[in-house]
Protein backbone atom coordinates (compact mmCIF):
# COMPACT_ATOMS: atom_id res chain seq x y z
CA UNK A 1 0.00 0.00 0.00
CA UNK A 2 0.89 3.66 -0.23
CA UNK A 3 -0.89 6.88 0.64
CA UNK A 4 -1.60 9.37 -2.16
CA UNK A 5 -1.73 13.20 -1.92
CA UNK A 6 -5.56 13.28 -1.93
CA UNK A 7 -5.62 10.82 1.04
CA UNK A 8 -6.69 7.94 -1.17
CA UNK A 9 -4.84 4.64 -0.81
CA UNK A 10 -3.19 2.58 -3.52
CA UNK A 11 -3.47 -1.15 -2.77
CA UNK A 12 -2.08 -4.13 -4.63
CA UNK A 13 -1.54 -7.84 -4.31
CA UNK A 14 -1.77 -11.10 -6.17
CA UNK A 15 -3.73 -14.30 -6.22
CA UNK A 16 -2.63 -17.43 -8.14
CA UNK A 17 -2.58 -16.36 -11.76
CA UNK A 18 -4.16 -12.96 -11.18
CA UNK A 19 -2.70 -9.56 -10.31
CA UNK A 20 -4.90 -7.01 -8.56
CA UNK A 21 -4.45 -3.30 -7.90
CA UNK A 22 -6.95 -0.63 -6.94
CA UNK A 23 -7.30 2.84 -5.45
CA UNK A 24 -9.51 3.31 -2.39
CA UNK A 25 -10.82 6.87 -2.21
CA UNK A 26 -11.72 8.75 1.01
CA UNK A 27 -15.45 8.37 0.23
CA UNK A 28 -14.94 4.55 0.20
CA UNK A 29 -15.37 4.28 -3.58
CA UNK A 30 -12.93 2.00 -5.39
CA UNK A 31 -11.19 2.24 -8.75
CA UNK A 32 -9.93 -1.11 -10.01
CA UNK A 33 -6.72 -0.96 -12.04
CA UNK A 34 -6.92 -3.86 -14.48
CA UNK A 35 -3.60 -3.34 -16.23
CA UNK A 36 -0.11 -3.75 -14.83
CA UNK A 37 1.32 -6.76 -13.03
CA UNK A 38 1.35 -6.20 -9.27
CA UNK A 39 2.71 -8.90 -6.97
CA UNK A 40 2.76 -9.59 -3.26
CA UNK A 41 5.52 -8.12 -1.10
CA UNK A 42 6.32 -5.28 -3.50
CA UNK A 43 7.37 -1.88 -2.25
CA UNK A 44 4.99 0.90 -3.29
CA UNK A 45 5.53 4.65 -3.00
CA UNK A 46 4.05 7.79 -4.54
CA UNK A 47 6.48 10.26 -6.11
CA UNK A 48 6.06 13.14 -8.56
CA UNK A 49 2.73 12.03 -10.05
CA UNK A 50 3.50 8.32 -10.25
CA UNK A 51 3.15 5.27 -8.03
CA UNK A 52 6.35 3.23 -8.15
CA UNK A 53 6.48 -0.52 -7.45
CA UNK A 54 9.61 -2.54 -6.74
CA UNK A 55 10.35 -6.27 -6.42
CA UNK A 56 7.75 -8.68 -5.06
CA UNK A 57 7.04 -12.39 -5.21
CA UNK A 58 4.43 -14.74 -6.63
CA UNK A 59 2.03 -17.09 -4.85
CA UNK A 60 4.74 -19.77 -4.65
CA UNK A 61 7.21 -17.40 -3.01
CA UNK A 62 9.47 -16.83 -6.04
CA UNK A 63 11.14 -13.43 -5.72
CA UNK A 64 11.21 -10.95 -8.61
CA UNK A 65 13.42 -8.12 -9.85
CA UNK A 66 10.40 -6.40 -11.42
CA UNK A 67 9.75 -2.67 -11.29
CA UNK A 68 6.95 -0.55 -12.73
CA UNK A 69 5.19 2.78 -12.37
CA UNK A 70 1.59 3.88 -12.65
CA UNK A 71 0.71 7.40 -13.78
CA UNK A 72 -2.32 8.75 -11.94
CA UNK A 73 -3.20 11.46 -14.47
CA UNK A 74 -3.33 9.13 -17.48
CA UNK A 75 -4.36 5.86 -15.77
CA UNK A 76 -1.47 4.03 -17.46
CA UNK A 77 1.22 1.57 -16.37
CA UNK A 78 4.80 1.79 -17.54
CA UNK A 79 7.73 -0.58 -17.16
CA UNK A 80 10.95 0.77 -15.70
CA UNK A 81 14.44 -0.67 -15.44
CA UNK A 82 14.52 -4.05 -13.60
CA UNK A 83 16.15 -4.13 -10.19
CA UNK A 84 19.79 -5.14 -9.79
CA UNK A 85 18.73 -8.12 -7.66
CA UNK A 86 15.58 -10.04 -6.80
CA UNK A 87 13.85 -8.34 -3.85
CA UNK A 88 10.70 -8.98 -1.87
CA UNK A 89 9.20 -7.55 1.31
CA UNK A 90 10.39 -4.14 0.10
CA UNK A 91 10.16 -0.92 2.11
CA UNK A 92 10.64 2.42 0.37
CA UNK A 93 10.45 6.18 0.86
CA UNK A 94 10.60 9.11 -1.56
CA UNK A 95 11.67 12.74 -1.58
CA UNK A 96 13.69 15.25 -3.58
CA UNK A 97 16.60 12.79 -3.43
CA UNK A 98 14.65 10.19 -5.45
CA UNK A 99 13.27 6.89 -4.17
CA UNK A 100 15.15 4.83 -1.59
CA UNK A 101 14.24 1.19 -0.97
CA UNK A 102 15.51 -1.93 0.77
CA UNK A 103 14.41 -5.59 0.67
CA UNK A 104 14.28 -8.54 3.05
CA UNK A 105 17.16 -10.72 1.89
CA UNK A 106 19.49 -7.91 0.82
CA UNK A 107 21.91 -5.84 2.91
CA UNK A 108 21.82 -3.03 0.33
CA UNK A 109 19.92 0.24 0.27
CA UNK A 110 19.15 1.37 -3.27
CA UNK A 111 18.36 4.82 -4.61
CA UNK A 112 16.27 5.04 -7.79
CA UNK A 113 16.73 8.09 -10.01
CA UNK A 114 13.33 8.37 -11.71
CA UNK A 115 14.56 10.93 -14.25
CA UNK A 116 17.41 8.75 -15.54
CA UNK A 117 15.77 5.36 -14.78
CA UNK A 118 18.83 4.03 -12.96
CA UNK A 119 19.59 2.47 -9.58
CA UNK A 120 22.52 3.18 -7.31
CA UNK A 121 23.65 1.13 -4.32
CA UNK A 122 24.13 3.77 -1.63
CA UNK A 123 24.55 1.73 1.56
CA UNK A 124 25.70 -1.89 1.92
CA UNK A 125 25.72 -2.72 5.61
CA UNK A 126 22.18 -3.52 6.74
CA UNK A 127 21.30 -7.01 7.95
CA UNK A 128 20.45 -9.49 5.21
CA UNK A 129 17.53 -11.92 5.55
CA UNK A 130 15.82 -9.54 7.96
CA UNK A 131 12.61 -7.53 7.66
CA UNK A 132 13.26 -3.80 7.51
CA UNK A 133 10.98 -0.78 7.62
CA UNK A 134 11.94 2.72 6.49
CA UNK A 135 10.23 5.70 8.13
CA UNK A 136 10.52 9.34 7.10
CA UNK A 137 9.51 12.26 9.28
CA UNK A 138 10.43 15.75 8.09
CA UNK A 139 14.25 15.97 8.30
CA UNK A 140 14.79 12.50 9.81
CA UNK A 141 14.83 9.06 8.23
CA UNK A 142 14.81 5.86 10.26
CA UNK A 143 15.43 2.27 9.29
CA UNK A 144 14.39 -0.42 11.78
CA UNK A 145 15.61 -3.98 11.38
CA UNK A 146 13.31 -6.57 12.92
CA UNK A 147 14.88 -7.62 16.23
CA UNK A 148 18.16 -5.90 15.35
CA UNK A 149 19.45 -2.36 14.94
CA UNK A 150 17.72 1.01 14.59
CA UNK A 151 19.44 3.49 12.27
CA UNK A 152 19.00 7.19 11.53
CA UNK A 153 19.97 9.37 8.57
CA UNK A 154 19.05 12.66 6.90
CA UNK A 155 16.88 12.70 3.76
CA UNK A 156 19.66 14.10 1.58
CA UNK A 157 22.46 12.09 3.23
CA UNK A 158 21.24 8.52 2.76
CA UNK A 159 24.77 7.23 2.24
CA UNK A 160 25.47 7.99 5.88
CA UNK A 161 23.69 6.09 8.65
CA UNK A 162 24.34 5.92 12.37
CA UNK A 163 23.16 3.23 14.76
CA UNK A 164 20.96 4.87 17.40
CA UNK A 165 19.52 1.88 19.23
CA UNK A 166 18.39 -1.71 19.23
CA UNK A 167 14.95 -3.06 18.36
CA UNK A 168 13.87 -5.18 21.31
CA UNK A 169 10.99 -6.82 19.44
CA UNK A 170 10.57 -8.47 16.07
CA UNK A 171 7.91 -7.83 13.46
CA UNK A 172 6.91 -9.57 10.26
CA UNK A 173 6.82 -7.82 6.90
CA UNK A 174 5.06 -4.45 7.03
CA UNK A 175 1.67 -4.88 5.35
CA UNK A 176 0.31 -1.33 5.49
CA UNK A 177 1.56 2.21 4.98
CA UNK A 178 2.80 3.98 8.08
CA UNK A 179 0.78 6.63 9.91
CA UNK A 180 2.44 9.49 11.82
CA UNK A 181 0.85 10.98 14.92
CA UNK A 182 2.25 12.98 17.85
CA UNK A 183 5.94 12.28 17.05
CA UNK A 184 5.29 8.57 16.68
CA UNK A 185 4.93 6.30 13.68
CA UNK A 186 2.49 3.39 13.54
CA UNK A 187 2.59 0.47 11.13
CA UNK A 188 0.96 -2.95 10.87
CA UNK A 189 2.67 -6.17 9.87
CA UNK A 190 1.39 -9.08 7.82
CA UNK A 191 0.18 -10.82 11.00
CA UNK A 192 -2.17 -7.88 11.76
CA UNK A 193 -0.06 -6.74 14.72
CA UNK A 194 0.27 -2.99 15.24
CA UNK A 195 3.59 -1.37 16.15
CA UNK A 196 4.55 2.07 17.41
CA UNK A 197 7.93 3.71 16.91
CA UNK A 198 8.43 6.67 19.23
CA UNK A 199 10.74 9.15 17.53
CA UNK A 200 11.64 10.80 20.84
CA UNK A 201 12.50 7.73 22.90
CA UNK A 202 13.58 5.75 19.78
CA UNK A 203 11.68 2.71 21.05
CA UNK A 204 9.69 0.22 18.96
CA UNK A 205 6.77 -1.36 20.83
CA UNK A 206 3.73 -3.44 20.02
CA UNK A 207 0.61 -1.42 20.74
CA UNK A 208 -3.19 -1.39 20.71
CA UNK A 209 -5.62 1.24 19.41
Amino acid sequence: MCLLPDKSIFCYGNYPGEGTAFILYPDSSIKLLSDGDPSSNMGAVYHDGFIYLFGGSNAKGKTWNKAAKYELSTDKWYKICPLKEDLSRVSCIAGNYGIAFVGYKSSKLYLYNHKQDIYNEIYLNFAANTDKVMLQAENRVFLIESGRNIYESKPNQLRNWKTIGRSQISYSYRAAYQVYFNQSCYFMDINDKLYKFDMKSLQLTMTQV
Side-chain angles (χ1 to χ4, degrees):
M1 296 182 181
C2 68
L3 188 65
L4 305 180
D6 64 356
K7 306 303 181 183
S8 58
I9 303 171
F10 171 79
C11 306
Y12 62 93
N14 74 293
Y15 301 94
E18 180 182 4
T20 304
F22 60 92
I23 295 176
L24 175 63
Y25 294 100
D27 63 1
S28 297
S29 62
I30 294 176
K31 177 181 181 180
L32 183 64
L33 310 180
S34 58
D35 293 328
D37 187 21
S39 300
S40 290
N41 300 326
M42 299 184 93
V45 66
Y46 172 83
H47 185 55
D48 199 20
F50 290 85
I51 299 166
Y52 290 84
L53 299 169
F54 301 100
S57 57
N58 66 7
K60 296 182 179 180
K62 177 177 172 53
T63 304
W64 306 117
N65 69 341
K66 297 191 300 184
K69 64 181 182 180
Y70 173 78
E71 188 173 23
L72 288 166
S73 63
T74 63
D75 189 26
K76 290 184 179 179
W77 289 92
Y78 300 89
K79 290 185 178 181
I80 59 178
C81 183
L83 306 181
K84 291 187 174 183
E85 61 176 323
D86 294 343
L87 293 177
S88 68
R89 294 151 78 162
V90 178
S91 182
C92 44
I93 58 173
N96 58 12
Y97 47 82
I99 301 171
F101 62 92
V102 62
Y104 171 82
K105 73 176 185 178
S106 179
S107 64
K108 300 175 182 178
L109 176 69
Y110 289 95
L111 189 66
Y112 175 67
N113 184 321
H114 67 293
K115 295 181 179 179
Q116 299 180 4
D117 193 24
I118 60 173
Y119 302 97
N120 292 302
E121 302 168 7
I122 60 172
Y123 193 80
L124 310 177
N125 297 319
F126 293 124
N129 301 311
T130 302
D131 281 308
K132 310 170 189 71
V133 60
M134 297 185 70
L135 311 174
Q136 182 170 238
E138 297 180 352
N139 65 339
R140 305 174 76 184
V141 176
F142 300 96
L143 187 143
I144 305 171
E145 298 170 340
S146 176
R148 294 176 179 265
N149 291 322
I150 301 173
Y151 299 88
E152 182 178 357
S153 182
K154 299 291 184 183
N156 294 313
Q157 300 175 16
L158 294 178
R159 295 182 183 274
N160 302 311
W161 294 82
K162 61 180 180 179
T163 305
I164 58 172
R166 182 85 177 177
S167 172
Q168 300 301 317
I169 62 173
S170 299
Y171 61 88
S172 299
Y173 172 63
R174 179 181 59 90
Y177 66 88
Q178 51 262 29
V179 174
Y180 297 92
F181 177 73
N182 197 23
Q183 297 191 51
S184 294
C185 178
Y186 298 82
F187 65 93
M188 183 177 290
D189 73 3
I190 200 167
N191 294 319
D192 296 328
K193 295 179 179 178
L194 185 65
Y195 300 85
K196 173 185 176 182
F197 179 66
D198 189 313
M199 288 177 278
K200 294 177 66 177
S201 67
L202 304 177
Q203 297 295 311
L204 178 67
T205 56
M206 195 180 300
T207 187
Q208 299 289 333
V209 293

